[in-house]
Amino acid sequence: MQIKLIVTTAMLLGLAAPAHAQLFTAGGSYSFNIQNSPGTSNNAVTFTPGTQLIDGGDVALTLTVVNAADFATTGAQWVVFQTQTVGGVALSQPNENWSFSAVGLPAAIPINFIADYSQWTDTSGANIPQTNHIFNQPLISNPVPGMTGTGEGTSGFSSAIPVGPVFPLGGFADPFAIVTNALGTVNVGGEIEALEFAPQSPPSGVPEPGTWAMMLAGFAGIGLLGYRKTVKARLAA
């Protein structure tokens, strides 16, 4: 009975699991442009989760891909760029602004840009509690599953992006406009920019390779059950 339950469960999981296409080409190249950090640089980077040093080693760029809360039905994912200066240096010097732009993200399939979120950090990496708007977006809690903090963001976009390099996407910081009065003129040391994308075509419902393996294992289990029954019947006879 236990074996039958396991086999049945494996088959149901296999039939229920939709296929999710990869939104961006892993290892694909793009540019990450930054200004006033403390200089200006154009960095060639790869779409690889993890941390890469850019701006001559002055800034650490961490890329993370997180499945959205509705990933199972929409295939949507958050692409999170976290920049932080190395050694406690401020991104923006006094009376200067700071900006970054990810140019040419390698879209692997036709996708839609559907939401964004920006959250600024100080030179220690701690979240700066924003009270003012930069992009006239509402202040919200970090919408990326597993992440915390408060910043500003908007959802409900439907900007179609074809396969290939994506138009520039990024953030802009005036360090004296985003902090609370209590913090005064604290300089910005980093930023979290989360961008949500979804495939233009919903998941097809065709099982992924791993799911096919699970289904085959289930069918093999059914065959084993039938064989055991046959052997028992012969022994009984």
Side-chain angles (χ1 to χ4, degrees):
M1 179 62 70
Q2 184 178 6
I3 296 177
K4 288 183 178 179
L5 179 60
I6 293 173
V7 170
T8 303
T9 302
M11 291 180 62
L12 290 176
L13 286 174
L15 293 173
H20 295 286
Q22 188 170 318
L23 303 187
F24 294 93
T25 302
S29 60
Y30 66 101
S31 297
F32 199 88
N33 305 332
I34 53 180
Q35 296 182 4
N36 297 330
S37 55
T40 298
S41 65
N42 181 24
N43 306 270
V45 291
T46 59
F47 194 87
T48 305
T51 300
Q52 306 173 62
L53 290 178
I54 59 174
D55 196 30
D58 290 332
V59 177
L61 168 65
T62 302
L63 172 67
T64 309
V65 178
V66 182
N67 292 341
D70 59 353
F71 173 77
T73 55
T74 67
Q77 292 182 320
W78 288 94
V79 177
V80 183
F81 302 94
Q82 183 169 2
T83 50
Q84 189 68 40
T85 52
V86 177
V89 179
L91 279 170
S92 295
Q93 304 307 301
N95 302 316
E96 293 183 358
N97 297 321
W98 172 79
S99 64
F100 85 75
S101 182
V103 182
L105 291 175
I109 62 172
I111 55 177
N112 287 321
F113 172 48
I114 57 177
D116 76 306
Y117 173 79
S118 296
Q119 175 181 315
W120 305 93
T121 58
D122 62 23
T123 53
S124 69
N127 183 42
I128 297 175
Q130 240 175 277
T131 58
N132 296 313
H133 303 270
I134 300 175
F135 306 113
N136 293 319
Q137 298 184 114
L139 296 177
I140 60 174
S141 297
N142 194 324
V144 181
M147 299 186 72
T148 60
T150 301
E152 58 180 306
T154 304
S155 61
F157 300 132
S158 183
S159 182
I161 298 172
V163 174
V166 177
F167 52 78
L169 292 167
F172 168 83
D174 177 347
F176 308 109
I178 68 171
V179 298
T180 64
N181 291 332
L183 290 175
T185 57
V186 172
N187 283 324
V188 174
E191 193 238 14
I192 296 173
E193 182 78 10
L195 308 172
E196 188 179 13
F197 302 90
Q200 291 182 15
S201 299
S204 64
V206 178
E208 297 174 315
T211 303
W212 278 115
M214 184 182 295
M215 292 175 65
L216 290 174
F219 291 130
I222 292 175
L224 177 61
L225 284 175
Y227 174 76
R228 291 179 62 183
K229 286 182 176 179
T230 301
V231 171
K232 287 182 178 179
R234 288 178 179 176
L235 290 176

